[in-house]
Amino acid sequence: MFALRPLVHTQRAFLSTLSQAERQQVLKPLLNAGWAVTEGRDAIHKNYQFADFNEAFGFMTRVALKADKMDHHPEWFNVYNRVEITLSTHDCQGLSNRDIELAQFCDKATNN
């Protein structure tokens, strides 16, 4: 027999995309750190390369734990020592402060 958990309704804070002024202020340091604006959508992306799979997977684990706490999950792809990350907030269909926070965390979570 399966135990059913009660439904829990959570209310998400209203998210909006970054304004032009916010973009100019917060994107510049990320772009200087290797992030790029994704063509054809309101997103940013970055490619990381590590010494080996273990280091790449450790990085992904640190990011996954942070993303889960934020309730904000990246789009990513991993092959051996490479990790490609794209960030965009699905709730508002574009870049939000959540993407900026997670991008900054990603950069701090690596020694690249």
Side-chain angles (χ1 to χ4, degrees), residues 17 25 28 36 62 66 76 80 86 91-92 103-104:
T17 58
Q25 180 182 7
K28 188 174 182 175
R62 290 187 295 279
K66 172 69 171 176
W76 55 12
Y80 184 60
T86 300
D91 292 339
C92 65
Q104 292 167 339

Side-chain angles (χ1 to χ4, degrees), residues 2-55:
F2 295 99
L4 297 176
R5 288 187 271 163
L7 291 175
V8 178
H9 296 282
T10 58
Q11 184 176 9
R12 290 184 177 204
F14 178 74
L15 293 172
S16 62
T17 58
L18 296 172
S19 69
Q20 286 299 73
E22 290 171 321
R23 287 168 192 268
Q24 290 176 358
Q25 180 182 7
V26 297
L27 280 181
K28 188 174 182 175
L30 291 174
L31 297 176
N32 288 339
W35 287 87
V37 175
T38 303
E39 191 174 325
R41 59 187 289 211
D42 194 14
I44 56 174
H45 65 273
K46 185 171 181 176
N47 297 331
Y48 292 93
Q49 187 162 339
F50 300 93
D52 55 27
F53 176 75
N54 188 42
E55 193 175 308

Side-chain angles (χ1 to χ4, degrees), residues 35 38 41-46 63 72-75 85-89 94-95 98-104 106:
W35 287 87
T38 303
R41 59 187 289 211
D42 194 14
I44 56 174
H45 65 273
K46 185 171 181 176
V63 173
H72 186 59
H73 305 95
E75 298 171 26
I85 300 179
T86 300
L87 299 174
S88 183
T89 302
L95 283 173
R98 283 184 178 181
D99 301 304
I100 303 308
E101 182 181 345
L102 192 54
Q104 292 167 339
C106 288

